[in-house]
Structure formats: structure tokens, C-alpha cells
Amino acid sequence: MKITEQVRQFAEPVVEAQGCSLWDVEYVREGGEWFLRLYIDKEGGVDINDCEAVSRAVDPILDEKDPIPDSYHFEVSSAGLERTLRLPQHFAKCLGQKVTVRLYRPKDGAKEFVGVLREYEDGRVTIETAAGPMTFEKNEVALVRLYVEF
């Protein structure tokens, strides 16, 4: 089982006990160092106190379970307004919302498309754009995130 899945299993109930939901778990190498990040969400938005409370609650469990043999930095932050959609439940929760789809290679002369998320099935993403519906295959899509208009 992947580290992120292990951490999700034991962190999710702890995050929920703090009044938040666990949006995502990320374990990445940046600048030669490893980072374990929990992205949390809650109705009305996440603030620094939520991040601190979740961090304090999860940290001793990480020490006890010890799912990561190497040294790493542990961070808790908000999923953010322009959160990345990676998991099927992310897409299900965001149906009907405006998203940005970024592609690996240009399609119709562009690598980025904005539209309303209409469907997600087995990695295939369909959005409604001003020009009509567009569907992107899993292997074309580099990133999907919520689109925020200011």
C-alpha cells in the first residue's frame, strides 16, 4: 500500500474529529527533501487554527505508525480555492463547477481549457465550454483544478 493511502486511512478520522475533511494526501520530493502534506477542507473555509489543530492531532499518530522510513517535513494546509482534482470523489463533489483542464500537449492550438465540469468517468473529463462540450482522455490530462474568478 502506498504511503499516501496508509496516511489517509489513519489521518481521515482524526481530521474529521477536528471538524474538517481530508481533501488529499501528498508525499513529494522537493529540493532534495521529502514532504508529507495533508490538504484539509471545511464548510466556510479552513484557517490557520484548523491547520494547527489537525497537525497537532495527526503528528503523534505519524510517530506511532511510522509509515515513512526516511526523514520528511510534515505540513497541513487548506486545499485552497483552486484545488487540484485528482480522485474520483473530488470530481464527483465538483460536478457543475467551473474548472481548468491543463493538457500535456496542445489540442486545437491550446493546452488549457476552462469550462463547467459535466462528467468524469475512468479518468475521462468532460467540460462545457462556450464553444460546446469537450472531452479529454485520461492520458491527455496533466491537471484539473477548480477555476476561481476574481
Side-chain angles (χ1 to χ4, degrees):
M1 182 185 294
K2 288 173 54 176
I3 288 171
T4 53
E5 292 166 9
Q6 288 178 47
V7 172
R8 177 180 290 282
Q9 280 185 347
F10 64 74
E12 198 157 31
V14 178
V15 171
E16 288 172 359
Q18 298 299 319
C20 299
S21 61
L22 183 58
W23 180 261
D24 208 356
V25 178
E26 180 181 69
Y27 183 59
V28 294
R29 189 176 179 98
E30 294 176 0
E33 298 188 71
W34 285 96
F35 291 84
L36 175 66
R37 294 188 180 112
L38 301 187
Y39 293 97
I40 61 173
D41 194 21
K42 93 172 181 190
E43 203 63 42
V46 170
D47 64 25
I48 189 75
N49 296 326
D50 297 315
C51 294
E52 185 179 342
V54 168
S55 178
R56 286 177 192 257
V58 173
D59 197 41
I61 298 167
L62 281 171
D63 289 343
E64 176 193 322
K65 303 267 187 198
D66 200 21
I68 303 170
D70 305 314
S71 66
Y72 62 94
H73 301 277
F74 175 52
E75 299 176 349
V76 177
S77 67
S78 164
L81 292 176
E82 293 184 305
R83 64 192 62 191
T84 300
L85 311 183
R86 286 189 326 106
L87 305 172
Q89 59 263 34
H90 294 162
F91 288 91
K93 188 174 183 177
C94 295
L95 284 173
Q97 295 186 50
K98 209 173 220 186
V99 297
T100 300
V101 177
R102 188 173 301 141
L103 306 178
Y104 289 113
R105 288 178 220 53
K107 181 175 188 171
D108 301 332
K111 284 180 81 172
E112 202 167 277
F113 297 86
V114 175
V116 176
L117 180 61
R118 291 291 178 222
E119 189 178 354
Y120 176 82
E121 188 176 334
D122 296 327
R124 182 184 299 123
V125 178
T126 301
I127 61 171
E128 185 71 39
T129 69
M134 295 188 78
T135 299
F136 305 96
E137 298 300 323
K138 182 179 185 173
N139 63 353
E140 295 179 288
V141 177
L143 177 81
V144 179
R145 66 171 20 137
L146 285 182
Y147 178 83
V148 178
E149 294 178 82
F150 294 98

